[in-house]
Amino acid sequence: MNATETAFITTTAELAALCERLGAEEFVTVDTEFMREKTYYPELCLVQLAGEGDVAVVDAQAKGIDLAPLGALLAKPDVVKVFHACRQDVEIFLLLFGAVPENLFDTQVAAMVAGFGDQVGYDALVSALTGGHIDKAHRFSDWSARPLTKAQVDYAAADVTHLRTVYEKLTARLRVDGRLDWVAQEMASLADPSTYRVDPERAWERLKLRTSNRRQLAIVQAIAAWREREAQRVNVPRQRLVRDEQVPEIAALAPGDAEALSKARGITMGFAQGKSGQSLLAAISAAKALSDEQLPRSERSRDTPRASPALVALLKVLLNAVAEQNNVAPRLVASSEDVEAMALDETAENPALQGWRREMFGEDALRLIRGEIALSAQGKRVKIVSV
């Protein structure tokens, strides 16, 4: 089979033969197509795989197909699994096989290290490194519908065929720059299963809240945790149960029965009286019963110390300057949270003060905080000046 011919895999035997061949490769490019509009968990529809001489689209919904050979391939530590923006793909494989694929390489992360900017898109990366073009006509296909057209299969296959060249060119560039180890360090968090697991008790932290009332925050926390667990139980998107904006509204009402719950915006009496509504009321009741000592505190409490906005801004100028000088995405070097934490307490543990980040940015950031260096404009660039 030549590299331009795409195999459409619908049987376990075909998949096993494919994975046996790919298991002898140095690297395999991987992508998925899935649906998630109507479910909490992603519904895997296709898996695209490519090696040096194979390009295949696996129908994950084919009748009777067993994806175990794919799980075995992904578990092989001596084969690099190349993805672009791999988080959702890896989440699917973790749910399916109970493990994160071994030996991950994410070309989006690698592109950030190589100076292509923050979260560069796959289309832009393909264009920059291969001169190729991704046809977007089938981007919003219903991948669960069968039969698939040849054009859909070709579109899906293109995601892994171009990725081979992208991977090879990125790794060559990073090897010359001595930055392959940087990518390896970034892969550690992507290889950690906890990265993909949602803690229902922390779901409330994603919400935009305007209250610092600790009792109300406890009810918000309880509702958000209930929503996460209930969405998992019935396998529907969390927003279909209760929308984000409804959570603080229900918490403010603090309903004690179905009639009171049904008065909340967007909540019907049928829902309030049903199994989901009753379990929500039980969660609210439990939050109401918490002692004062058990109540959560808002991270933005008035008593919480805050870093100097001016110092934070100055550190961000330094961050952008060193990132520009080293041709690497600033966000990869340090997040806004990292910079703010450093401005508040430079002695605390901080990712920006570890490994290559400390060498590139952290040490100068500490010197700037201590007043040992200053920043100056020179030739339309920012320059570090010793004080």
Side-chain angles (χ1 to χ4, degrees):
M1 179 183 298
N2 61 50
T4 59
E5 184 179 351
T6 300
F8 189 61
I9 305 295
T10 59
T11 70
T12 305
E14 291 172 331
L15 178 60
L18 170 69
C19 290
E20 184 176 358
R21 293 193 301 273
L22 293 177
E25 300 273 5
E26 179 183 341
F27 71 90
V28 175
T29 55
V30 190
D31 191 30
T32 65
E33 303 295 346
F34 58 90
M35 302 296 291
R36 202 171 195 168
E37 286 75 9
K38 299 178 181 178
T39 59
Y40 180 91
Y41 296 106
E43 177 189 0
L44 181 61
C45 301
L46 300 175
V47 180
Q48 301 97 284
L49 301 164
E52 185 177 353
D54 281 286
V55 179
V57 173
V58 181
D59 186 355
Q61 298 190 341
K63 185 177 180 179
I65 194 167
D66 183 354
L67 297 179
L70 173 62
L73 172 64
L74 295 176
K76 289 181 71 69
D78 54 337
V79 179
V80 181
K81 320 307 183 309
V82 181
F83 296 81
H84 183 83
C86 73
R87 283 179 178 268
Q88 292 191 86
D89 303 312
V90 172
E91 179 190 1
I92 289 172
F93 292 134
L94 178 60
L95 289 168
L96 191 61
F97 301 119
V100 172
E102 292 281 347
N103 204 349
L104 285 173
F105 188 98
D106 189 323
T107 56
Q108 186 177 70
V109 173
M112 292 169 70
V113 174
F116 284 88
D118 288 348
Q119 294 184 309
V120 61
Y122 182 61
D123 299 356
L125 200 56
V126 167
S127 176
L129 291 176
T130 75
H133 171 70
I134 302 294
D135 183 357
K136 301 178 182 180
H138 298 284
R139 173 163 292 184
F140 300 108
S141 288
D142 179 355
W143 296 106
S144 64
R146 296 293 183 274
L148 296 171
T149 66
K150 182 180 184 302
Q152 285 178 303
V153 173
D154 289 343
Y155 167 85
D159 283 342
V160 288
T161 53
H162 290 296
L163 193 54
R164 295 179 298 194
T165 306
V166 168
Y167 169 72
E168 289 174 333
K169 291 198 171 184
L170 272 178
T171 52
R173 181 168 175 167
L174 292 168
R175 189 174 291 108
V176 170
D177 293 341
R179 294 183 178 181
L180 277 174
D181 285 346
W182 296 12
V183 178
Q185 290 177 40
E186 296 308 301
M187 291 301 102
S189 65
L190 292 175
D192 184 352
S194 66
T195 300
Y196 308 92
R197 292 184 177 133
V198 177
D199 180 0
E201 299 304 324
R202 300 192 63 182
W204 72 301
E205 296 174 359
R206 298 195 300 262
L207 301 172
K208 295 179 180 179
L209 304 173
R210 296 181 179 179
T211 181
S212 58
N213 181 295
R214 295 179 62 202
R215 180 66 59 182
Q216 193 168 326
L217 286 173
I219 299 175
V220 166
Q221 183 179 24
I223 295 172
W226 162 85
R227 182 177 67 162
E228 205 68 36
R229 293 192 180 97
E230 188 69 1
Q232 292 172 352
R233 184 184 73 81
V234 298
N235 194 24
V236 299
R238 62 177 71 87
Q239 298 282 1
R240 287 204 177 186
L241 279 176
V242 174
R243 297 190 306 276
D244 283 354
E245 61 269 23
Q246 290 177 280
V247 174
E249 293 174 4
I250 296 171
L253 287 174
D257 55 36
E259 184 175 354
L261 177 58
S262 70
K263 288 181 168 54
R265 182 174 58 147
I267 300 296
T268 65
M269 179 60 81
F271 175 89
Q273 293 178 330
K275 184 175 181 179
S276 291
Q278 291 301 300
S279 63
L280 170 55
L281 286 168
I284 294 171
S285 176
K288 288 180 179 179
L290 292 174
S291 67
D292 289 346
E293 292 74 20
Q294 293 174 300
L295 298 179
R297 292 187 180 276
S298 170
E299 290 187 0
R300 298 194 179 275
S301 167
R302 292 179 182 177
D303 298 330
T304 302
R306 294 170 182 257
S308 162
L311 179 57
V312 170
L314 195 60
L315 286 169
K316 287 183 177 179
V317 172
L318 173 64
L319 171 62
N320 287 322
V322 297
E324 180 181 59
Q325 179 183 349
N326 289 278
N327 195 28
V328 62
R331 181 176 167 274
L332 189 67
V333 182
S335 67
S336 293
E337 292 78 12
D338 295 338
V339 173
E340 290 175 12
M342 190 184 301
L344 184 64
D345 180 6
E346 70 271 24
T347 65
E349 186 174 337
N350 193 309
L353 295 174
Q354 298 174 5
W356 64 269
R357 290 180 174 84
R358 184 181 186 106
E359 182 179 346
M360 179 181 292
F361 166 70
E363 285 292 348
D364 282 337
L366 293 175
R367 292 171 64 205
L368 183 63
I369 291 170
R370 293 193 295 259
E372 297 172 0
I373 60 172
L375 301 178
S376 173
Q378 186 178 71
K380 296 186 178 181
R381 288 180 178 269
V382 173
K383 180 183 178 182
I384 298 174
V385 179
S386 296
V387 176

